[in-house]
Amino acid sequence: MQLEVVGLGGAGCRLADAIRAAEPADHPFLTDVFAFDTDEASLQGTVIPESHRAKYGQGTALEESAGLEGDLEQGFESGQNVVDDLLAVRERSGSTAPDAVLVTVGLGGTTGGPTAPALVAALQRAVDAPVYVLATLPADREFDPDVVAADRGPHAGMTATTESDEPPRPAAASHAIRTLEALEGVASAIMLFDNETWLRPGETVADARNRSNRELATRVAAIFAGGDGESTGAVAQNVIDASDIERILGTESAVVSLGYGEQAVETTSSRFGLGLLPTEREVETSEAVSAVETVVRKGIRGKLSLECDPETAERGLLIVGGPPAWLNRQAIAEGRRTLQSTVGGTGVLGGDAPRSNGETVFAAVVLAGVESGRLEELRALAD
Ligand SMILES: Nc1nc2c(ncn2[C@@H]2O[C@H](COP(=O)(O)OP(=O)(O)OP(=O)(O)O)[C@@H](O)[C@H]2O)c(=O)[nH]1
Ligand SMILES: [Mg+2]
């Protein structure tokens, strides 16, 4: 399918950049990728071309981060005032009709979050396609002084300790929850990535961000690049298209968690032809079945972008990809049944994504309409 990505604020622009980098050369799925921020340095940090970048919000509350700490309402208001400018950038660049738009944003800050609800609403009006949100949740160590102290030893406070550190964000939990509330009924669906569970001990979000963003971008690319035909000719047995994704993500701002599993596989062999020319390796059925089973298990039971109980999902999607010889149809069908029995509902779809040049077998899992203890936790902190 054809996806447009719009990054807002520091995290949003870096995520947009990471998604662009994760686009498989033989499986293009992106129309346009935009980066919008009030902060010039953050825009400069991306490789998104000038025509698709914009520094916005000059002279508004969005530029004055500190002033917004306690006043998110003012931020939402400024967000309303900038959307026309942002839509104009999009139109000037000649944005082509996408099958869906994905707005990426880090919740907890004072630029991207406050802009997102107004921009998503405006995009819903301007584009004849669903507008999804991909948002990060803040980690406890960003706003909880006890966690910061415990993590960094007895003498550390909420002060930046390294150059790459982000400033402390005492209002991050409350901002994140209030922004999610503002997105309710506006975003078609909200995919979440919880920074808290993706940090290693002692690490800051800034330390971990390249790894986290790559991880998340891989999931996004696996889902949206899906099973569209390849230039090399391999055709998916079961193509997941934009309307399938729309069916699973829904139109009612469902909270979505993304799972992923992959396994490296050997794809060439020099057993034949005297080892001079690498040839396509023959794959034993049992090997292929086992690889698919492994990645499906990791996709459903492994680490999710947002920790949740997969059983609470209302709908689910499974995409299994890799070199065609490894995509065992029975094993993929079995994987879909496993997801179906996990999710419990009937809204489960499965598809395959042949990657002739791929070196891994992977499974991407979408769990839509989940309940998450982490959101409850942040809500309690925000009250
Ligand atoms: N996964 C991930 N999370 C990030 C990244 N950068 C920031 N975050 C998270 O997103 C939240 C908001 O940070 P930014 O996106 O930098 O904030 P902003 O929207 O630019 O707003 P300002 O406060 O004005 O800078 C932070 O509290 C972090 O939890 C990133 O690159 N990757
Ligand atoms: Mg910023």
Side-chain angles (χ1 to χ4, degrees):
M1 68 177 281
Q2 295 293 294
L3 184 73
E4 174 178 321
V5 177
V6 181
L8 277 183
C13 292
R14 282 187 288 273
L15 278 168
D17 220 18
I19 292 169
R20 217 173 98 117
E23 180 179 35
D26 50 359
H27 268 268
F29 68 100
L30 297 169
T31 55
D32 293 273
V33 179
F34 295 95
F36 299 146
D37 202 336
T38 54
D39 178 356
E40 183 63 37
S42 134
L43 289 169
Q44 297 285 350
T46 70
V47 296
I48 291 166
E50 201 83 41
S51 61
H52 285 62
R53 279 192 238 162
K55 176 171 153 67
Y56 71 95
Q58 284 93 328
T60 73
L62 296 169
E63 222 179 9
E64 295 283 329
S65 297
L68 262 189
E69 265 309 324
D71 192 358
L72 194 61
E73 294 313 317
Q74 205 188 335
F76 286 143
E77 211 176 289
S78 301
Q80 293 283 359
N81 296 333
V82 298
V83 292
D84 287 345
D85 290 349
L86 298 183
L87 287 187
V89 174
R90 191 179 162 271
E91 259 144 52
R92 253 202 316 278
S93 79
S95 155
T96 40
D99 297 318
V101 181
L102 182 67
V103 174
T104 57
V105 62
L107 300 181
T110 53
T111 300
T115 315
L119 183 68
V120 172
L123 284 166
Q124 293 280 22
R125 289 189 296 269
V127 186
D128 186 23
V131 183
Y132 306 121
V133 169
L134 176 69
T136 66
L137 294 177
D140 290 348
R141 65 199 72 176
E142 295 181 79
F143 56 80
D144 183 335
D146 294 340
V147 178
V148 177
D151 217 46
R152 292 191 182 155
H155 304 297
M158 287 189 69
T159 47
T161 54
T162 67
E163 193 95 42
S164 72
D165 264 3
E166 292 277 306
R169 297 177 183 275
S174 139
H175 278 190
I177 291 302
R178 285 160 66 203
T179 307
L180 281 175
E181 285 166 1
L183 286 166
E184 271 285 332
V186 177
S188 301
I190 306 170
M191 297 173 229
L192 290 177
F193 177 91
D194 183 11
N195 277 308
E196 176 66 19
T197 45
W198 289 85
L199 292 181
R200 295 176 184 150
E203 232 178 15
T204 65
V205 172
D207 294 333
R209 71 190 186 198
N210 289 342
R211 187 184 73 240
S212 301
N213 295 352
R214 257 197 316 270
E215 183 75 47
L216 187 49
T218 302
R219 294 174 188 223
V220 168
I223 293 157
F224 289 98
D228 282 353
E230 284 198 304
S231 40
T232 47
V235 176
Q237 302 278 348
N238 218 336
V239 181
I240 293 296
D241 63 17
S243 64
D244 293 328
I245 290 182
E246 198 173 337
R247 224 170 98 196
I248 298 304
L249 293 178
T251 53
E252 298 183 338
S253 313
V255 170
V256 177
S257 181
L258 307 176
Y260 186 79
E262 73 174 17
Q263 181 179 312
V265 292
E266 212 187 292
T267 49
T268 52
S269 153
S270 25
R271 273 185 300 170
F272 309 105
L274 300 171
L276 296 175
L277 286 174
T279 52
E280 187 102 338
R281 178 170 170 281
E282 284 194 41
V283 180
E284 302 281 345
T285 305
S286 62
E287 259 185 314
V289 168
S290 146
V292 171
E293 281 173 358
T294 303
V295 297
V296 168
R297 193 177 331 110
K298 282 187 198 161
I300 301 174
R301 293 293 163 193
K303 199 163 169 178
L304 297 167
S305 65
L306 170 71
E307 238 169 51
C308 66
D309 183 353
E311 273 79 9
T312 64
E314 287 164 14
R315 299 174 300 278
L317 171 69
L318 169 70
I319 294 177
V320 179
W326 288 85
L327 300 182
N328 183 280
R329 289 173 69 182
Q330 279 79 21
I332 295 174
E334 187 55 38
R336 198 184 57 78
R337 282 192 288 275
T338 305
L339 181 60
Q340 178 120 26
S341 61
T342 306
V343 166
T346 48
V348 170
L349 293 175
D352 58 311
R355 298 283 185 268
S356 297
N357 301 320
E359 288 169 357
T360 60
V361 171
F362 66 83
V365 173
V366 175
L367 298 167
V370 294
E371 285 164 22
S372 148
R374 174 62 174 164
L375 282 178
E376 293 306 319
E377 211 176 283
L378 290 172
R379 266 184 211 119
L381 285 166
D383 285 341

